[in-house]
Amino acid sequence: MLRTERHSRIVEHVVAQGGANVVELSNLLHVSPATVRRDLQYLDDQRVLRRTHGGAVAGEEYDETPPVRRAGRARAQKRAIAEAAVELIPRGAVVGLTGGTTTAEVARLLAERGPLTIVTNALDIAAQLVPHTEVSLVVVGGHARSRTWELVGPAAEKALAEYHTDVTVLGVDGVSAAHGCTTHDQLEASTNRAFVTSGETVLVVADGSKVGRATFARICPAGDVDHLITDEGARGGGLDAIAAAGVHVTTVPVP
């Protein structure tokens, strides 16, 4: 099991249970207590969990949190959204993937399906894909954001300008007809905008809580999006307005 996978499993378990001790996590992951302690210390340093004597508890909520913390939220919806997105992506395509837990699920499904090329700036997605020999993986460089594990900034944007992708799969923190696609950080927004520019087709994957919402930094207007895939928990009025802006909308059932 990769380190990032262990972290995801630890966070999911601790958040679901409210807390866990080292022995419990060691048995769950089939690793040594020493490994668990190192993982817990790392997650505490990243403010993902709060380390306690003998274990860890779920930490405070933040508006923007690392992928391992967000992985357990709306997990079934994200998986269903990712499955619908993969159906729209041709086999053997060149796919751009921004960071996010839903885009990470898209990456996992694409890797299982077979040969393709993936261009990404997300470190967690890259780590997930490296073992897959049928995936030609391109990781764009840049400044690493500890909050989201994405490489952003001018270096990433310059690299993306040299590529053309068949499909860009865009993760967002908010999407609405009025404000388009938005995220929390302006550097991340600018890099994601470069992904949009490089993509022939732009798919936005977002669970229903993000529809009708606008956050700090704008990635692109709604009209730049070809397809929004969300779940039935999305606000109806927000979806209608997005569709009226010319975006094809697919909603998947809430499991």
Side-chain angles (χ1 to χ4, degrees), residues 18-41:
N21 62 49
V22 169
V23 174
E24 178 183 348
L25 292 170
S26 176
N27 292 334
L28 176 70
L29 300 171
H30 305 293
V31 296
S32 70
T35 297
V36 171
R37 291 189 188 95
R38 287 193 295 270
D39 288 342
L40 293 181
Q41 187 59 57

mmCIF file of all heavy atoms in Angstrom, residues 18-41:
data_model
loop_
_atom_site.group_PDB
_atom_site.id
_atom_site.type_symbol
_atom_site.label_atom_id
_atom_site.label_comp_id
_atom_site.label_asym_id
_atom_site.label_seq_id
_atom_site.Cartn_x
_atom_site.Cartn_y
_atom_site.Cartn_z
ATOM 1 N N GLY A 18 -14.504 9.269 14.611
ATOM 2 C CA GLY A 18 -14.236 10.363 15.529
ATOM 3 C C GLY A 18 -12.863 10.280 16.166
ATOM 4 O O GLY A 18 -12.375 11.254 16.737
ATOM 5 N N GLY A 19 -12.217 9.118 16.078
ATOM 6 C CA GLY A 19 -10.892 8.918 16.645
ATOM 7 C C GLY A 19 -10.494 7.459 16.511
ATOM 8 O O GLY A 19 -11.325 6.593 16.231
ATOM 9 N N ALA A 20 -9.199 7.189 16.710
ATOM 10 C CA ALA A 20 -8.702 5.813 16.651
ATOM 11 C C ALA A 20 -7.349 5.765 17.342
ATOM 12 O O ALA A 20 -6.633 6.769 17.412
ATOM 13 C CB ALA A 20 -8.572 5.339 15.200
ATOM 14 N N ASN A 21 -6.995 4.570 17.855
ATOM 15 C CA ASN A 21 -5.686 4.435 18.482
ATOM 16 C C ASN A 21 -4.711 3.733 17.542
ATOM 17 O O ASN A 21 -5.105 3.183 16.505
ATOM 18 C CB ASN A 21 -5.789 3.711 19.832
ATOM 19 C CG ASN A 21 -6.326 2.289 19.695
ATOM 20 O OD1 ASN A 21 -5.857 1.508 18.870
ATOM 21 N ND2 ASN A 21 -7.320 1.943 20.510
ATOM 22 N N VAL A 22 -3.435 3.758 17.902
ATOM 23 C CA VAL A 22 -2.383 3.240 17.042
ATOM 24 C C VAL A 22 -2.558 1.752 16.761
ATOM 25 O O VAL A 22 -2.403 1.291 15.625
ATOM 26 C CB VAL A 22 -1.000 3.515 17.671
ATOM 27 C CG1 VAL A 22 0.094 2.753 16.920
ATOM 28 C CG2 VAL A 22 -0.696 5.003 17.671
ATOM 29 N N VAL A 23 -2.906 0.978 17.790
ATOM 30 C CA VAL A 23 -3.063 -0.464 17.618
ATOM 31 C C VAL A 23 -4.200 -0.764 16.637
ATOM 32 O O VAL A 23 -4.076 -1.611 15.742
ATOM 33 C CB VAL A 23 -3.318 -1.156 18.979
ATOM 34 C CG1 VAL A 23 -3.637 -2.635 18.771
ATOM 35 C CG2 VAL A 23 -2.111 -0.994 19.893
ATOM 36 N N GLU A 24 -5.299 -0.054 16.781
ATOM 37 C CA GLU A 24 -6.456 -0.233 15.896
ATOM 38 C C GLU A 24 -6.076 0.057 14.448
ATOM 39 O O GLU A 24 -6.406 -0.716 13.531
ATOM 40 C CB GLU A 24 -7.562 0.722 16.361
ATOM 41 C CG GLU A 24 -8.824 0.720 15.536
ATOM 42 C CD GLU A 24 -9.822 1.752 16.045
ATOM 43 O OE1 GLU A 24 -9.620 2.293 17.151
ATOM 44 O OE2 GLU A 24 -10.802 2.000 15.321
ATOM 45 N N LEU A 25 -5.353 1.149 14.219
ATOM 46 C CA LEU A 25 -4.954 1.514 12.860
ATOM 47 C C LEU A 25 -3.905 0.557 12.310
ATOM 48 O O LEU A 25 -3.911 0.241 11.112
ATOM 49 C CB LEU A 25 -4.432 2.946 12.849
ATOM 50 C CG LEU A 25 -5.480 4.026 13.133
ATOM 51 C CD1 LEU A 25 -4.813 5.380 13.340
ATOM 52 C CD2 LEU A 25 -6.508 4.099 12.010
ATOM 53 N N SER A 26 -3.020 0.092 13.173
ATOM 54 C CA SER A 26 -2.016 -0.880 12.745
ATOM 55 C C SER A 26 -2.668 -2.151 12.237
ATOM 56 O O SER A 26 -2.286 -2.703 11.196
ATOM 57 C CB SER A 26 -1.073 -1.189 13.913
ATOM 58 O OG SER A 26 -0.143 -2.184 13.567
ATOM 59 N N ASN A 27 -3.678 -2.640 12.962
ATOM 60 C CA ASN A 27 -4.401 -3.843 12.539
ATOM 61 C C ASN A 27 -5.196 -3.599 11.257
ATOM 62 O O ASN A 27 -5.281 -4.467 10.389
ATOM 63 C CB ASN A 27 -5.343 -4.299 13.655
ATOM 64 C CG ASN A 27 -4.592 -4.821 14.867
ATOM 65 O OD1 ASN A 27 -3.459 -5.286 14.745
ATOM 66 N ND2 ASN A 27 -5.207 -4.734 16.034
ATOM 67 N N LEU A 28 -5.770 -2.408 11.146
ATOM 68 C CA LEU A 28 -6.570 -2.073 9.967
ATOM 69 C C LEU A 28 -5.719 -2.059 8.703
ATOM 70 O O LEU A 28 -6.133 -2.561 7.644
ATOM 71 C CB LEU A 28 -7.234 -0.699 10.160
ATOM 72 C CG LEU A 28 -8.030 -0.139 8.979
ATOM 73 C CD1 LEU A 28 -9.307 -0.948 8.756
ATOM 74 C CD2 LEU A 28 -8.370 1.332 9.217
ATOM 75 N N LEU A 29 -4.511 -1.495 8.804
ATOM 76 C CA LEU A 29 -3.665 -1.284 7.631
ATOM 77 C C LEU A 29 -2.624 -2.378 7.426
ATOM 78 O O LEU A 29 -1.928 -2.393 6.412
ATOM 79 C CB LEU A 29 -2.950 0.062 7.755
ATOM 80 C CG LEU A 29 -3.856 1.301 7.848
ATOM 81 C CD1 LEU A 29 -3.036 2.526 8.194
ATOM 82 C CD2 LEU A 29 -4.612 1.505 6.550
ATOM 83 N N HIS A 30 -2.483 -3.266 8.431
ATOM 84 C CA HIS A 30 -1.483 -4.342 8.377
ATOM 85 C C HIS A 30 -0.067 -3.770 8.242
ATOM 86 O O HIS A 30 0.743 -4.232 7.420
ATOM 87 C CB HIS A 30 -1.784 -5.303 7.215
ATOM 88 C CG HIS A 30 -3.155 -5.878 7.247
ATOM 89 N ND1 HIS A 30 -3.582 -6.753 8.228
ATOM 90 C CD2 HIS A 30 -4.233 -5.674 6.436
ATOM 91 C CE1 HIS A 30 -4.847 -7.069 8.012
ATOM 92 N NE2 HIS A 30 -5.260 -6.435 6.932
ATOM 93 N N VAL A 31 0.201 -2.736 9.038
ATOM 94 C CA VAL A 31 1.540 -2.153 9.104
ATOM 95 C C VAL A 31 1.940 -2.057 10.571
ATOM 96 O O VAL A 31 1.116 -2.227 11.475
ATOM 97 C CB VAL A 31 1.603 -0.759 8.436
ATOM 98 C CG1 VAL A 31 1.315 -0.857 6.956
ATOM 99 C CG2 VAL A 31 0.646 0.212 9.117
ATOM 100 N N SER A 32 3.194 -1.746 10.829
ATOM 101 C CA SER A 32 3.688 -1.682 12.199
ATOM 102 C C SER A 32 3.161 -0.446 12.921
ATOM 103 O O SER A 32 2.857 0.577 12.283
ATOM 104 C CB SER A 32 5.217 -1.648 12.207
ATOM 105 O OG SER A 32 5.677 -0.407 11.713
ATOM 106 N N PRO A 33 3.066 -0.504 14.254
ATOM 107 C CA PRO A 33 2.682 0.687 15.030
ATOM 108 C C PRO A 33 3.611 1.874 14.770
ATOM 109 O O PRO A 33 3.158 3.020 14.758
ATOM 110 C CB PRO A 33 2.777 0.204 16.479
ATOM 111 C CG PRO A 33 2.527 -1.267 16.399
ATOM 112 C CD PRO A 33 3.177 -1.700 15.120
ATOM 113 N N ALA A 34 4.890 1.590 14.539
ATOM 114 C CA ALA A 34 5.839 2.676 14.269
ATOM 115 C C ALA A 34 5.468 3.425 12.978
ATOM 116 O O ALA A 34 5.551 4.654 12.906
ATOM 117 C CB ALA A 34 7.256 2.130 14.166
ATOM 118 N N THR A 35 5.059 2.664 11.968
ATOM 119 C CA THR A 35 4.628 3.290 10.710
ATOM 120 C C THR A 35 3.395 4.146 10.930
ATOM 121 O O THR A 35 3.295 5.266 10.412
ATOM 122 C CB THR A 35 4.349 2.209 9.650
ATOM 123 O OG1 THR A 35 5.543 1.498 9.373
ATOM 124 C CG2 THR A 35 3.820 2.829 8.364
ATOM 125 N N VAL A 36 2.450 3.636 11.708
ATOM 126 C CA VAL A 36 1.236 4.398 12.000
ATOM 127 C C VAL A 36 1.584 5.688 12.729
ATOM 128 O O VAL A 36 1.045 6.757 12.428
ATOM 129 C CB VAL A 36 0.245 3.556 12.827
ATOM 130 C CG1 VAL A 36 -0.917 4.409 13.319
ATOM 131 C CG2 VAL A 36 -0.272 2.387 12.007
ATOM 132 N N ARG A 37 2.488 5.606 13.702
ATOM 133 C CA ARG A 37 2.864 6.809 14.462
ATOM 134 C C ARG A 37 3.475 7.865 13.535
ATOM 135 O O ARG A 37 3.188 9.065 13.668
ATOM 136 C CB ARG A 37 3.837 6.440 15.581
ATOM 137 C CG ARG A 37 3.213 5.624 16.700
ATOM 138 C CD ARG A 37 4.161 5.480 17.880
ATOM 139 N NE ARG A 37 3.631 4.537 18.856
ATOM 140 C CZ ARG A 37 3.944 3.243 18.906
ATOM 141 N NH1 ARG A 37 4.820 2.744 18.032
ATOM 142 N NH2 ARG A 37 3.401 2.453 19.811
ATOM 143 N N ARG A 38 4.315 7.430 12.611
ATOM 144 C CA ARG A 38 4.896 8.382 11.657
ATOM 145 C C ARG A 38 3.821 9.002 10.776
ATOM 146 O O ARG A 38 3.824 10.209 10.505
ATOM 147 C CB ARG A 38 5.955 7.693 10.795
ATOM 148 C CG ARG A 38 7.249 7.377 11.526
ATOM 149 C CD ARG A 38 8.360 7.000 10.553
ATOM 150 N NE ARG A 38 8.063 5.756 9.855
ATOM 151 C CZ ARG A 38 8.426 4.558 10.295
ATOM 152 N NH1 ARG A 38 9.079 4.438 11.453
ATOM 153 N NH2 ARG A 38 8.142 3.464 9.599
ATOM 154 N N ASP A 39 2.867 8.178 10.331
ATOM 155 C CA ASP A 39 1.776 8.696 9.503
ATOM 156 C C ASP A 39 0.923 9.699 10.282
ATOM 157 O O ASP A 39 0.544 10.751 9.757
ATOM 158 C CB ASP A 39 0.886 7.544 9.018
ATOM 159 C CG ASP A 39 1.551 6.688 7.952
ATOM 160 O OD1 ASP A 39 2.533 7.164 7.347
ATOM 161 O OD2 ASP A 39 1.097 5.550 7.735
ATOM 162 N N LEU A 40 0.625 9.383 11.530
ATOM 163 C CA LEU A 40 -0.186 10.287 12.351
ATOM 164 C C LEU A 40 0.535 11.603 12.606
ATOM 165 O O LEU A 40 -0.090 12.674 12.612
ATOM 166 C CB LEU A 40 -0.559 9.621 13.678
ATOM 167 C CG LEU A 40 -1.496 8.419 13.587
ATOM 168 C CD1 LEU A 40 -1.796 7.880 14.989
ATOM 169 C CD2 LEU A 40 -2.802 8.777 12.883
ATOM 170 N N GLN A 41 1.840 11.535 12.812
ATOM 171 C CA GLN A 41 2.595 12.766 13.024
ATOM 172 C C GLN A 41 2.568 13.638 11.779
ATOM 173 O O GLN A 41 2.398 14.861 11.852
ATOM 174 C CB GLN A 41 4.047 12.448 13.409
ATOM 175 C CG GLN A 41 4.852 13.680 13.810
ATOM 176 C CD GLN A 41 4.226 14.396 14.990
ATOM 177 O OE1 GLN A 41 4.019 13.812 16.054
ATOM 178 N NE2 GLN A 41 3.893 15.673 14.803
#
